Amino acid sequence: MIERESMPCDVVVVGGGPAGLAAAIKLKQINADLEVIVLEKGSEIGAHILSGAVVDPKALDELLPEWREQGCPMAETPVTDNWHWVLSKTGKTSLPHAIMPPLMGNDGCYTGSLGNMTRWLAEQAEGLGVMVFPGFPAADVILDDEGRVAGVITQDMGIAADGSHKGDYTPGMEIHAKYTVLAEGARGNLTKRMKAKFDLEANCQPQVYGLGIKELWDIDPKKHKPGRVIHTQGWPLTESESWGGGFLYHQANGQVALGFVTALDYKNPWVSPYQEFQRWKNHPAIRDYLEGGKRVSYGARAINEGGWQSVPKLAFPGGALIGCAAGFVNVPRIKGSHTAMKSGMLAAESIAAAIAAGHEKTELMDYDTAVRSSWIADELKKVQNAQPAVAKYGGDIGTVLAGIDMWMRTLKIGLPISMKHKPDYSYTGRADLYPKIDYPKPDGVITFDKLTNVAYSYTNHAEDQPVHLQVGDRELQRASELEVYGGPSARYCPAGVYEWLTDEKTGEPKFQINSQNCVHCKTCDIKDPNQNINWVTPEGGGGPNYPNM
């Protein structure tokens, strides 16, 4: 048994993103005497935050009504111009705003760095007395004698790759809490385990995901239109029968955030979401903005796309799921920070009331009920069939059906149908059934190779530590992932983590894991066709260090 130091508190929040910090702030607003701890695996708050982002300020207005006057960086650039393009290989068609449901508009929204907004939220939390600890991943949960969650254990530090203890070995700390809030983002390690332990997904559809890949560019000042928001769909994913879309947001300081989301239910195992993003940048309408500019940052992250029908039970004995750990992204709007923050606020209200009543480690079903009767539910129910309609019927027909469904739900006309999901990995087809895709070589000006771009994510992991990408069965990986599916891990990973090489001694295929490249997107955990790769937390502070993302 490892001897560990321990720290008691009222509430421990796992994850220093918008949801976790909103929960912490709300707890202290309700009861300043509560001891609240926020654990963040990144080297600093915001280091692992990746989003477009166009932010609906609805939750911010509720939590901190004076945020615009208090120096929040998101207030710098209100949305002024909103476009939605359907792309062909060389052309584009603008969808008229009049045919789109009102919820698809961006009036009153802001565009900027969600990472910087999160850093600002952390300052507000600390000003209220919240203890914020970056560089401390939560690696495990503490269970009491009754099987209730009683806190978490932070990641051990100073363990060598072979499992031995190095000279600077420090065991993780036990954080004992009356309530534990999981705000890990999409596909969190502890969230996945608590969903399984407490069967939280028994009455919902499986969660499905997209992979969002983003670059930040300084562009020619003559081309910069502060507040302009552009979304695209169609090409290039139409050529591989995949679906998703791009975005290009004109933000502060002469920069544009551009990115591409590929739904991870694609069938062709030769598809590379990273390469599709690079192709998209060469579309004339996109390239025009980038020519004469300079890429300054890169990153990638999985995004929840399951919608309302994939929201699990939100409470378990001793804790709750909030934000993207639960899955509150509005897929058609490409927004989730406002719903994530609101869920954190509702969880905080439930926890504060429970502690005030003398309770601890109870199942917070009033929180679950509150979410399901909140504006989170109202918003997500309107779009609940958008993702599965496109997934089932394709980009053209599916978009039309999704639009009709959203309009009818907006007008409160019938349609009690809730379409279903299948896990993303289950769609992956055999390699011999699909044509290989010959992606163009990068030009080093507009398009780039993976490893060059990963350098712009400022990713770093301590040397000589256990690989945090755990392969359950190496033989299965070779016999199935490689021989049946053609080794898609080398293509779905946006950071060059996985390679299939030839062993020089035996001549046999060798599965190479370059874990130092990992940007913590979690795609491997989601898309591996055999669910044979398990993403766990690496040593604290490891991973990307996103600036202004």
Side-chain angles (χ1 to χ4, degrees):
M1 294 293 290
I2 299 173
E3 249 185 71
R4 303 182 185 275
E5 294 184 13
S6 65
M7 178 187 295
C9 66
D10 291 304
V11 184
V12 60
V13 180
V14 179
L21 290 168
I25 290 169
K26 189 66 177 179
L27 282 164
K28 296 295 278 189
Q29 287 176 339
I30 297 170
N31 183 350
D33 293 329
L34 289 174
E35 293 183 336
V36 182
I37 292 174
V38 174
L39 301 176
E40 165 55 40
K41 66 183 173 68
S43 60
E44 64 170 351
I45 294 294
H48 291 178
I49 297 295
L50 185 78
S51 180
V54 172
V55 172
D56 184 330
K58 189 171 185 177
L60 259 177
D61 287 340
E62 291 183 20
L63 182 66
L64 298 163
E66 306 300 319
W67 65 274
R68 293 170 184 83
E69 293 77 40
Q70 292 177 329
C72 178
M74 192 57 70
E76 291 182 46
T77 313
V79 173
T80 58
D81 195 11
N82 191 40
W83 295 90
H84 192 110
W85 296 341
V86 179
L87 303 182
S88 62
K89 189 169 185 177
T90 57
K92 70 178 190 295
T93 302
S94 294
L95 290 182
H97 294 299
I99 70 170
M100 301 178 73
L103 62 91
M104 295 297 289
N106 283 307
D107 291 345
C109 294
Y110 296 79
T111 182
S113 164
L114 192 66
N116 287 341
M117 188 186 94
T118 302
R119 292 178 178 98
W120 180 83
L121 284 172
E123 293 174 2
Q124 311 314 303
E126 289 179 315
L128 293 170
V130 175
M131 293 174 281
V132 179
F133 297 130
F136 285 89
D140 205 352
V141 298
I142 300 169
L143 299 175
D144 68 9
D145 292 339
E146 297 177 38
R148 303 175 300 179
V149 174
V152 297
I153 302 172
T154 64
Q155 183 75 44
D156 294 348
M157 306 284 281
I159 297 181
D162 63 4
S164 63
H165 292 179
K166 296 186 283 188
D168 61 349
Y169 171 74
T170 305
M173 179 179 287
E174 293 184 357
I175 310 292
H176 293 269
K178 295 174 182 176
Y179 290 97
T180 301
V181 179
L182 297 184
E184 298 177 291
R187 197 71 169 195
N189 178 49
L190 296 187
T191 299
K192 188 169 72 167
R193 289 161 57 186
M194 292 306 97
K195 281 182 175 181
K197 177 174 178 57
F198 295 108
D199 202 14
L200 301 181
E201 295 182 303
N203 298 309
C204 71
Q205 292 295 305
Q207 187 58 259
V208 295
Y209 302 86
L211 173 58
I213 304 176
K214 176 184 174 182
E215 293 173 357
L216 194 66
W217 281 64
D218 292 331
I219 66 167
D220 183 340
K222 295 176 184 177
K223 300 178 181 180
H224 191 255
K225 309 292 181 185
R228 173 167 290 181
V229 166
I230 299 169
H231 292 114
T232 79
Q233 66 181 81
W235 188 88
L237 293 178
T238 46
E239 294 185 357
S240 60
E241 299 183 1
S242 308
W243 69 277
F247 63 84
L248 195 151
Y249 304 152
H250 291 246
Q251 300 178 342
N253 304 315
Q255 291 186 325
V256 294
L258 64 149
F260 201 77
V261 180
T262 302
L264 289 177
D265 60 359
Y266 61 83
K267 298 177 182 178
N268 185 342
W270 302 107
V271 165
S272 166
Y274 177 87
Q275 297 291 358
E276 297 293 341
F277 172 42
Q278 299 305 307
R279 291 180 72 204
W280 174 81
K281 287 191 294 177
N282 264 323
H283 189 280
I286 305 301
R287 188 181 181 102
D288 181 59
Y289 281 110
L290 303 182
E291 287 179 331
K294 180 183 179 182
R295 166 216 47 189
V296 295
S297 194
Y298 168 80
R301 188 71 173 91
I303 304 167
N304 293 304
E305 292 193 339
W308 184 246
Q309 56 267 59
S310 293
V311 173
K313 183 179 177 182
L314 300 172
F316 51 86
L321 306 179
I322 66 172
C324 285
F328 296 121
V329 173
N330 183 322
V331 177
R333 293 188 75 194
I334 319 180
K335 291 179 179 63
S337 58
H338 64 304
T339 49
M341 290 179 66
K342 180 62 174 178
S343 70
M345 293 151 64
L346 292 172
E349 291 171 357
S350 175
I351 290 169
I355 292 175
H359 302 309
E360 60 180 79
K361 293 180 283 188
T362 55
E363 193 171 43
L364 300 163
M365 288 309 297
D366 58 328
Y367 159 59
D368 189 284
T369 300
V371 168
R372 297 178 195 280
S373 59
S374 72
W375 56 255
I376 297 174
D378 293 340
E379 180 174 327
L380 294 187
K381 285 179 181 178
K382 290 178 182 176
V383 302
Q384 66 181 8
N385 286 334
Q387 191 278 351
V390 178
K392 184 171 183 178
Y393 297 108
D396 294 336
I397 297 174
T399 297
V400 172
L401 293 175
I404 293 171
D405 186 83
M406 284 189 285
W407 262 116
M408 294 185 74
R409 291 178 184 277
T410 299
L411 298 172
K412 302 186 183 331
I413 302 174
L415 289 182
I417 300 168
S418 181
M419 295 181 70
K420 297 181 179 181
H421 298 302
K422 293 194 303 180
D424 293 311
Y425 69 87
S426 67
Y427 284 90
T428 309
R430 284 173 19 207
D432 61 342
L433 299 179
Y434 293 88
K436 290 186 177 181
I437 301 174
D438 184 21
Y439 288 107
K441 292 182 179 180
D443 60 22
V445 179
I446 301 296
T447 59
F448 311 98
D449 64 86
K450 280 185 187 179
L451 294 185
T452 298
N453 247 348
V454 169
Y456 283 81
S457 70
Y458 307 100
T459 294
N460 182 57
H461 292 87
E463 294 184 10
D464 191 24
Q465 64 169 297
V467 174
H468 65 279
L469 304 152
Q470 301 176 343
V471 179
D473 184 337
R474 288 272 178 167
E475 176 55 27
L476 175 64
Q477 205 67 15
R478 184 198 61 77
S480 180
E481 200 261 346
L482 176 62
E483 295 184 3
V484 176
Y485 298 101
S489 55
R491 293 178 290 278
Y492 63 57
C493 174
V497 170
Y498 301 103
E499 294 180 281
W500 279 102
L501 306 174
T502 301
D503 189 292
E504 293 182 0
K505 294 181 179 179
T506 65
E508 294 294 317
K510 176 184 176 182
F511 193 45
Q512 176 77 25
I513 302 177
N514 307 306
S515 58
Q516 69 276 12
N517 292 353
C518 180
V519 295
H520 298 197
C521 71
K522 315 291 181 63
T523 304
C524 53
D525 199 297
I526 297 163
K527 188 59 175 171
D528 180 79
N530 301 294
Q531 292 296 274
N532 195 36
I533 299 176
N534 183 39
W535 190 99
V536 299
T537 52
E539 195 166 290
N545 285 278
Y546 294 134
N548 302 320
M549 294 283 267

